[in-house]
Amino acid sequence: MPEGPKICGACNTNISNHWVIGLDKFWHQDCFTCAACGRVVDSKESFYEKEGRPVCHRCNTQNFTPKCDICHEPITGTRLIHLNLNYHYTCKNCTKCGQPFRAEQHDSIKILANGDFVHNTC
C-alpha cells in the first residue's frame, strides 16, 4: 500500500483516521459497504469482489451464484450443468429409476440424446 494520504476507494475523499484495507484499497469504515445491499461489511467478515467493490456472502449467494433450474435456489456446492442449465444433484432424478443423483456419482451419469439423465447402471 502506498504511503502518503489515504484516499477512500468508495468516496475518493481523504481518510484522516479509522480506515479499512480491502481489495488493495483504503476505505472509510462506513464506506466499505456491500455493492448489492449497501450494508457495511465488517472488516473481519469474508466477502467477495464484484467490479472492485465488496459484496457480502449473502448477496453473493443470492445474486451472483448460479441457481438450480428446477428448484431455483442458489447452488453453492458442486452442480450438474447441461446446455447452460444448472442443477443441484439432488434435484435431478434418473429418468429410468427415479432416484436423485449424488455428487459422488458424477462419473456414472449418462445424458441421453433426448436430454434425459440416467445412471450408467439403469
Side-chain angles (χ1 to χ4, degrees):
M1 301 298 302
E3 290 297 317
K6 293 169 182 54
I7 304 299
C8 179
C11 68
N12 293 315
T13 62
N14 190 43
I15 303 171
S16 57
N17 57 20
H18 304 294
W19 62 86
V20 174
I21 298 173
L23 305 172
D24 296 324
K25 299 177 190 171
F26 293 102
W27 307 76
H28 291 107
Q29 288 177 328
D30 291 341
C31 288
F32 196 67
T33 58
C34 174
C37 71
R39 182 181 64 79
V40 172
V41 177
D42 185 88
S43 61
K44 294 179 178 115
E45 113 185 57
S46 62
F47 61 90
Y48 299 84
E49 180 272 332
K50 295 289 179 209
E51 299 177 2
R53 297 290 314 273
V55 175
C56 70
H57 180 75
R58 181 182 168 279
C59 286
N60 188 70
T61 300
Q62 291 299 316
N63 300 315
F64 304 110
T65 302
K67 309 270 188 302
C68 176
D69 284 287
I70 293 174
C71 73
H72 308 289
E73 292 296 319
I75 303 172
T76 57
T78 57
R79 65 186 190 263
L80 286 167
I81 304 171
H82 178 63
L83 299 176
N84 291 324
L85 299 174
N86 297 280
Y87 307 102
H88 290 108
Y89 279 89
T90 54
C91 287
K92 195 73 174 163
N93 294 338
C94 175
T95 305
K96 291 189 178 180
C97 72
Q99 294 297 308
F101 296 106
R102 295 187 316 268
E104 60 269 14
Q105 296 174 316
H106 184 83
D107 292 334
S108 64
I109 299 170
K110 288 191 295 188
I111 303 172
L112 305 178
N114 66 359
D116 287 348
F117 286 62
V118 297
H119 293 106
N120 279 341
T121 56
C122 289

